[in-house]
Amino acid sequence: MSHAPAVPVLTIDGPSGSGKGTVSALVAERLGWRLLDSGALYRAVGYAAGAEGLDLSDVEAVTRCAQGTKIQFRAASGGETRVIVNGHDATDELRTETAGAAASAIASMPSVREALVALQLGFRRAPGLVADGRDMGTVIFPDAAHKVFLTASAAERAKRRYKQLKEKGLNVTLGGLQREIEARDSRDASRAVAPLKPAEDAVLVDTTGMGIDEVVAKVLAVAQS
Ligand code: DC
């Protein structure tokens, strides 16, 4: 039996603040490929669980929530993507540090990760997919032809987050952000399932001191190699 050629996937994994989100969106646009923001799925489940008043350490309840939460991505004007959780536009709430911390906590539960697998695989459609996350190249799309792992120093990542959040008028401190980023990194990297680590066949790109255009060019070169 002959198989149709697999839809190409470019995975972009790395810690928060490495520039993954911005770079993935720009690269997907340049390639004309679809985009999977897998972090938004974990954020959406954390948000939905919070909205239901669940205890975020209750694995059974949070797993049921992950199985039952309806998550939709909707294109808005100006190329922006809105995230709709159970019919509510939760885009702004999902960007907060609180949502990130909740996402990181529930993402350590294997049954929650399992509940999100099919949804993620469904994004793989022609002409191609850019998959942004922590375990895209290691667990979800291990057969991806192109894999990138983006990093940057914790100090640089804290600076970038600080700038983004300040622009949104949020009240944050640089030191506090760096501590939160380091705590989240170590939780994401040390968890038993799908820890944050580069796939063996990933190209490592350290974005410390690099501008967005330079990073996009490097990642596009990997996708076209
Ligand atoms: O990329 P992000 O900051 O939106 O991700 C939020 C959290 O979700 C992050 O701390 C870890 C978790 N996550 C994950 O475990 N696996 C993914 N593929 C994406 C995110």
Side-chain angles (χ1 to χ4, degrees), residues 13 16 20 37-40 42-43 100 103-104 107 113 120 132-136 184 188 191 194:
D13 290 304
S16 52
K20 265 181 323 134
D37 172 6
S38 62
Y42 291 94
R43 286 171 185 262
S104 171
R113 306 196 69 84
Q120 295 177 82
D132 161 0
R134 303 289 190 288
D135 62 341
M136 298 295 98
R184 184 131 66 97
D188 291 344
R191 69 181 174 218

Side-chain angles (χ1 to χ4, degrees), residues 102-118:
S104 171
I106 60 115
S108 66
M109 300 169 179
S111 50
V112 167
R113 306 196 69 84
E114 186 58 41
L116 296 175
V117 170

Side-chain angles (χ1 to χ4, degrees), residues 148-204:
V148 171
F149 193 86
L150 289 188
T151 54
S153 67
E156 168 113 0
R157 289 184 286 128
K159 249 189 269 165
R160 290 178 188 165
R161 280 299 280 161
Y162 181 77
K163 207 167 145 249
Q164 275 178 354
L165 295 173
K166 275 286 175 193
E167 277 164 12
K168 290 201 198 100
L170 294 173
N171 185 21
V172 285
T173 68
L174 190 56
L177 276 178
Q178 184 164 338
R179 277 191 298 279
E180 275 173 32
I181 282 179
E182 283 166 349
R184 184 131 66 97
D185 280 358
S186 85
R187 192 166 48 219
D188 291 344
S190 64
R191 69 181 174 218
V193 272
L196 171 66
K197 64 158 199 236
E200 272 171 27
D201 49 350
V203 176
L204 291 172

